Amino acid sequence: MTALDHAALRAATGAADGEQDRRAEIYRSAARIFHRKGYHATSINDIAAAVGLTKAGLYYYIKGKQDLLFAIMGFAMDQLDEQVIEPARRVQDPRTRLETIVARHAQLITQDSSALTILVNELEGLLPDDRADIIGRQRDYVDFIADTLAALRDEGKVVGLDPTVGAFSLVGMILWISRWYRTDGRLDGEEVVAAVTRMAISAVLSRGDYTSAGNPEETG
Amino acid sequence: MTALDHAALRAATGAADGEQDRRAEIYRSAARIFHRKGYHATSINDIAAAVGLTKAGLYYYIKGKQDLLFAIMGFAMDQLDEQVIEPARRVQDPRTRLETIVARHAQLITQDSSALTILVNELEGLLPDDRADIIGRQRDYVDFIADTLAALRDEGKVVGLDPTVGAFSLVGMILWISRWYRTDGRLDGEEVVAAVTRMAISAVLSRGDYTSAGNPEETG
DNA sequence: AGTAGTCTACCGACCGCCCGGTAGGTTGGC
DNA sequence: GCCAACCTACCGGGCGGTCGGTAGACTACT
């Protein structure tokens, strides 16, 4: 049934032709509300009201609150796999691969950050088994980035940077976008994606003339 | 009374001589539990049990759950002001100032991330007025970083980077540390602080030979 | 020295509310 | 007449918070 739920959510993100895709609307609404108020602060009633149902009516479509959360996270993880990891895996050059990862991940977030943000913020709302599942997939993602940084290091383009620390830091930078980016803000999504990607690449690539942070004497 | 609460929390972080500083222990415990389980998932009973009191006994010391949260966040913001912003304000050179900001903020997080993490993750648990207060102080912090980046841009050391986007991205990188850093991990706190600081500086400083990231759509 | 009063630091019992979830219908299209 | 798609009414339970105590240390007065 989780697979079914994922399918519904996937349908929801596309154009909503919607017949009995009421289920899709539910997952989409739930993701939006979980994102805005947090999982624990959101009641089943909130979600039901948002889709024009009573609580009991909602339970015709869902199994429970925790399954709803797990389904949303699973969908977000699927999105990451399909839109970020798989495309990046097909890129040989490590630097271009890193650009692909950052740009595509950032792009997903600027488009719709709900599910992807829940994915990282509501882990403790899951049952232990579900949590282990999601955490494992997240670790795979970080490892994938770290491997890419290690490849860059082997090419000599990155020196003195721990790949794991680098991977985590880039992920932090990307995920934080959902906290400050506003669709109606000064910059549009493409500009934000470009700016963050540039920073990410610059953050890991070594500069020939790099001077260590330990020397504050050059203060004017 | 909030000022009093802050004082209690501040005392709590130092050596706990503790006489009737029971209050300090309460705020410290609450911060730790809020950090681990989240504000909404934490019950007043959880906190009371953690300090060896009943719920009613706990209410002798606190005014309510939301005040507890606000006090913790106010304390975290005070910490940021005193340990990061004030020291950095005394640094003239923009680059060194940026290093000071990143290093000191990162250091605070590696030392004890509870309050600082709650500060960014539990905003929606606050009453509107309290939230406005905290958000305002957070915005001041981001503006302070953005101003520093703007100063670097005026020196020609940063080109083509929007200061606001830069500031947010650095903050994201720093805050994310609390999600992956473990005291008993492979790297110790100092190493993590150094690595992140280096990445942050590298992320914003321009490289002479910078080549733009291509179009990531052409993957494949 | 004795005792009455006072205050700090708590506790057991309770309140009303809302939560996630369910049982048992009802209704409208096929 | 049947089944998908709902609803009304309800349940047990845990929540934040309060109330009315009270043990015991300390003080004040005689």
Side-chain angles (χ1 to χ4, degrees), chain A residues 139-191:
Chain A
R139 184 151 34 225
D140 289 346
Y141 178 50
V142 173
D143 288 345
F144 176 55
I145 300 177
D147 289 347
T148 302
L149 291 178
L152 275 168
R153 187 192 49 197
D154 293 346
E155 284 184 354
K157 289 181 179 161
V158 163
V159 297
L161 174 66
D162 184 86
T164 304
V165 172
F168 278 126
S169 297
L170 295 187
V171 167
M173 214 168 96
I174 296 165
L175 295 176
W176 194 245
I177 295 171
S178 69
R179 287 289 182 96
W180 56 266
Y181 171 68
R182 296 287 100 111
T183 318
D184 57 353
R186 184 165 50 84
L187 303 175
D188 66 25
E190 277 185 37
E191 291 171 314

Side-chain angles (χ1 to χ4, degrees), chain B residues 4-5 8 20-28 60-61:
Chain B
L4 239 164
D5 294 351
Q20 20 83 294
D21 282 79
R22 195 68 184 269
R23 191 177 291 240
E25 192 198 347
I26 290 170
Y27 285 106
R28 229 165 107 78
Y60 175 76
Y61 293 101

